[in-house]
Amino acid sequence: LYLVMGWLLAAFGQYQDALGALQQGVKHTSAKVSDLAQQALIPLQIQIISAYLEKGEFPHARKKLAVLESKIDQRRQPGWFVRWLELSGKLNFMQGHLGAALRQFWQVVEICQKGNFQQARIEAMLNFAHILILLNQTHVAEQLLRSARDQAHALKLAVLKIRATFLLHVAYARAHSLANDVSIAPTVTEMRKPGRKK
């Protein structure tokens, strides 16, 4: 109940109330309660971190992520570990730790590939490609998106195919201006070249 209440409140932007409900839920997951109740701890903590991220309280989110990492069994709970990676990657991206963010989003793709979670893998590929587009690495993003689109088509996942096609258009628009083949913005690599005018 507290988990669902917290999720709904966060969805409406009422983050403080959401955190209050979620933290109240955590109180009911102690070692003294049933195994079923204890199993709610990780999803409650995940939602708490998500609420802190959306609220912009990054230090709290990072502290909670660090504590939660040791509580997740990567082999037995790959879904929760993937969610942890996504939240950690999002936080790193928002704080400008781009290399760490990319590694974590790519790790999600690898986990889904290793576990043969086909739909989840395609979704992870789309998320990773989206980040690449934001970083202006459009060529790599386009290659990844074409692969994701083809896989979605083969598995008859229409929604993912549509999203891949949409992101391909976004990547193209990001890489080209109205003038023929003129880059809108330099890539990260180009911006780091010595002697570049600021």
Side-chain angles (χ1 to χ4, degrees):
L1 174 64
Y2 284 118
L3 176 61
V4 174
M5 286 173 59
W7 177 79
L8 285 172
L9 287 165
F12 284 101
Q14 299 180 32
Y15 301 118
Q16 199 59 44
D17 291 335
L19 287 166
L22 294 165
Q23 288 162 354
Q24 187 64 33
V26 170
K27 294 179 181 179
H28 295 279
T29 62
S30 67
K32 298 179 181 180
V33 300
S34 67
D35 290 342
L36 185 60
Q38 290 179 41
Q39 290 174 25
L41 177 60
I42 291 177
L44 281 163
Q45 294 285 12
I46 288 285
Q47 194 58 49
I48 286 172
I49 294 165
S50 180
Y52 275 130
L53 271 176
E54 292 177 27
K55 194 180 178 187
E57 294 189 12
F58 298 154
H60 287 298
R62 188 166 294 282
K63 182 179 179 180
K64 292 286 185 182
L65 280 165
V67 172
L68 183 59
E69 184 178 13
S70 63
K71 297 180 181 179
I72 299 176
D73 188 326
Q74 298 181 23
R75 292 185 178 180
R76 297 179 61 187
Q77 301 168 305
W80 291 127
F81 183 57
V82 161
R83 187 69 182 119
W84 183 91
L85 283 170
E86 289 173 339
L87 289 171
S88 186
K90 183 177 180 180
L91 176 60
N92 280 322
F93 183 80
M94 294 173 77
Q95 291 191 308
H97 307 303
L98 305 181
L102 284 174
R103 284 192 298 273
Q104 288 172 319
F105 280 111
W106 183 249
Q107 192 175 352
V108 172
V109 177
E110 291 180 327
I111 290 172
C112 294
Q113 175 72 33
K114 186 177 180 180
N116 198 29
F117 308 130
Q118 296 182 342
Q119 181 172 341
R121 182 187 68 240
I122 296 170
E123 291 175 356
M125 290 170 67
L126 295 177
N127 291 338
F128 185 71
H130 198 168
I131 297 296
L132 290 175
I133 292 169
L134 293 174
L135 296 177
N136 211 32
Q137 298 182 25
T138 52
H139 180 68
V140 178
E142 286 175 356
Q143 292 178 320
L144 198 62
L145 289 167
R146 290 191 186 96
S147 176
R149 182 189 59 188
D150 293 345
Q151 291 177 44
H153 176 75
L155 295 172
K156 299 182 180 179
L157 300 171
V159 173
L160 294 183
K161 181 181 177 182
I162 290 170
R163 185 182 170 206
T165 302
F166 170 76
L167 285 173
L168 275 167
H169 290 302
V170 173
Y172 182 85
R174 173 75 173 166
H176 302 84
S177 69
L178 294 177
N180 291 333
D181 297 330
V182 177
S183 178
I184 291 176
T187 64
V188 173
T189 304
E190 289 173 337
M191 289 189 287
R192 290 181 177 172
K193 286 181 179 178
R196 178 177 173 78
K197 295 181 180 179
K198 296 183 179 179

